[in-house]
Amino acid sequence: MRRRAARDQQRLDSGAVSSPKDLENLQHEIASLAKRQGDLEDIVLEVMERRESAQQRVAELTERVASVQSRIDDVTARRDSALEEIDGEAASVTKEREVVAASVPADLLKLYEKLREQQGGIGAAKLQARTCQGCRQELAITELNEIRQAAPDAVVRCENCRRILVRTAESGL
């Protein structure tokens, strides 16, 4: 467009065009090309500003992504560490359980496993302050009297949830 405007201006300045109508058309075309060039330059400037703004936004978002990824990496590392700790603790507890289970009579262990399966993983519950910690129900006075009179090694069960009750000093007997 610039070359065309320069060429037209050169033709106008050279005097090669003698017809007034052609001169007027040539001047009009030069003015039109200058206006079009100005419009295109404005568009280019606007595009450059938008590009710069977009580049800044990309840089901000890239920084945010890096920050979020850093947090994800940190949380993932903490999760993995916690899982390792839980796995180690589970292995330790499993070994302890095996040792304790070996000392429990087979029929009691069988009853416990059956109750555990029926009761969502809890086959025995602590009797604390006259309340079964399995179902959170306070035992009736008659039940408590029966438990008091039972032998220390007798297996007693909750009348409400049927779990094995573990008696301690906190049982309220």
Side-chain angles (χ1 to χ4, degrees):
M1 198 177 291
R2 287 181 185 159
R3 277 187 256 142
R4 185 172 173 191
R7 186 187 61 199
D8 287 348
Q9 185 66 43
Q10 187 180 18
R11 279 182 60 205
L12 185 66
D13 292 343
S14 71
V17 179
S18 57
S19 164
K21 189 171 188 164
D22 288 342
L23 284 173
E24 186 180 325
N25 285 340
L26 198 54
Q27 286 174 337
H28 185 272
E29 186 176 335
I30 290 171
S32 176
L33 286 173
K35 183 180 182 314
R36 179 74 177 139
Q37 182 177 347
D39 291 345
L40 289 175
E41 286 174 350
D42 290 344
I43 290 171
V44 167
L45 286 175
E46 183 181 328
V47 168
M48 288 172 64
E49 287 172 358
R50 288 181 24 207
R51 179 177 180 223
E52 185 177 306
S53 174
Q55 286 175 330
Q56 288 175 347
R57 183 73 173 140
V58 165
E60 289 172 12
L61 293 176
T62 301
E63 186 178 318
R64 285 179 62 190
V65 165
S67 172
V68 168
Q69 187 60 49
S70 173
R71 283 190 273 165
I72 288 171
D73 293 344
D74 180 50
V75 169
T76 300
R78 288 188 301 167
R79 180 206 61 198
D80 292 346
S81 174
L83 285 175
E84 286 178 21
E85 187 178 317
I86 289 169
D87 288 344
E89 190 175 320
S92 173
V93 169
T94 301
K95 286 179 185 176
E96 287 178 33
R97 184 183 188 282
E98 289 172 358
V99 170
V100 171
S103 67
V104 174
D107 58 337
L108 180 57
L109 189 57
K110 184 177 177 182
L111 173 64
Y112 170 76
E113 290 297 337
K114 179 182 170 188
L115 289 171
R116 191 170 147 230
E117 187 177 307
Q118 293 172 349
Q119 299 291 341
I122 301 173
K126 186 177 182 181
L127 178 60
Q128 184 176 12
R130 301 185 324 233
T131 302
C132 170
Q133 296 302 304
C135 63
R136 306 280 187 210
Q137 297 289 320
E138 188 171 328
L139 301 181
I141 200 74
T142 55
E143 290 177 74
L144 287 171
N145 287 335
E146 288 176 13
I147 293 171
R148 273 189 199 106
Q149 293 177 3
D153 62 345
V155 177
V156 291
R157 296 176 63 182
C158 175
E159 289 293 324
N160 297 312
C161 66
R162 304 301 301 152
R163 289 183 175 98
I164 299 170
L165 289 173
V166 178
R167 296 173 278 180
T168 66
E170 301 170 345
S171 294
L173 300 175

